Amino acid sequence: MASVRRAVILAAGLGTRMLPATKSVPKELLPVVDRPIIQYAVEEAVAAGIEHVVIVLSPDRAAIREHFGGGSRVEAVARARGDDALAERVLAPERLARFTFVEQREPLGTGHAVQQAEPHLDGEPFALLFPDDVILGERSCTAQLVQAYEACEAAAVIAVQQVAREQIHQYGIVDPAGAGNPARLRGIIEKPAASEAPSDLGVVGRYVLGPSIFGELASLKAGAGGELQLTDAIAGQIAAGAPVYACRFEGRRFDAGRPAGAIAAAVCAALDREELRADLLAHLTALMPTEQ
Ligand code: G1P
């Protein structure tokens, strides 16, 4: 079985939930503490052994390319001043991995976005990350999925977590064959009504996918929301008898595509940083309502 050395990151969303911040800045570049959201996904992938990251962008998102590309004004200034430490901080993102950028010209859905990366994957399995989902914890979530993918000789492994009944309609929901972890899947459905959901395990934006996904994507028809849904292609793999598993991962997941999730992710990430922790706790304590 080929090892997982490549990752695809989807960064072509409109970011409507974070307007007006996302009017000119891609939502993937909004900061969580002092790193953009998308860098958390790249670092998580790199911690799983990924060497090559393919980022799928919409055409107006050149700033993401610049973040992981060479050269910047700050670097030039730092070099001119002889401040190598500053220059190194500027260069840190591009040194994380090898990057390739591909465009998704029209917002036709997650399935269509993944298809754009196919020419850069050379038939190898790959990790897929939706950067809006920021996952913090000691073990990289992607590393946990890669481990399950290899141990189960799976065709696909999907990260899931329990979701509240009122939120089921916002997620892909899996139908596990048992209570094990990882659990083999009998089905998966995109954004069902709570009354029709096969479980309360919602898909989080992390997957490891084998190359057979592209056969399914090629014959995909529009699904939920009129879009080409990756979830439907995975359902096709399952229907064809492929071993697809869901993995309940260790780690805290935040939906950083929404204001409250982005703030919570920042607080959690900052509390993990020795140099920020005491200051932040003092601010938070001062904000707490005092008991009467
Ligand atoms: C996508 C997937 C969905 C998954 C979710 C996780 O939906 O289609 O299956 O549960 O990401 O974040 P989106 O949030 O892009 O609508």
Side-chain angles (χ1 to χ4, degrees), residues 130 133 171-172 190-191 203-205 207 229 231 253:
F130 296 179
D133 284 319
Y171 290 88
E190 181 69 6
K191 302 188 176 131
V203 175
V204 167
Y207 310 73
Q229 296 288 353
T231 302
R253 174 255 179 179

Side-chain angles (χ1 to χ4, degrees), residues 241-285:
V244 174
Y245 288 80
C247 178
R248 296 193 302 280
F249 57 95
E250 282 170 31
R252 270 173 191 268
R253 174 255 179 179
F254 301 91
D255 180 355
R258 293 168 192 260
I263 293 165
V267 171
C268 184
L271 288 174
D272 276 347
R273 297 255 299 261
E274 199 62 42
E275 77 282 16
L276 301 175
R277 188 178 168 84
D279 246 8
L280 178 59
L281 278 175
H283 282 296
L284 293 175
T285 309

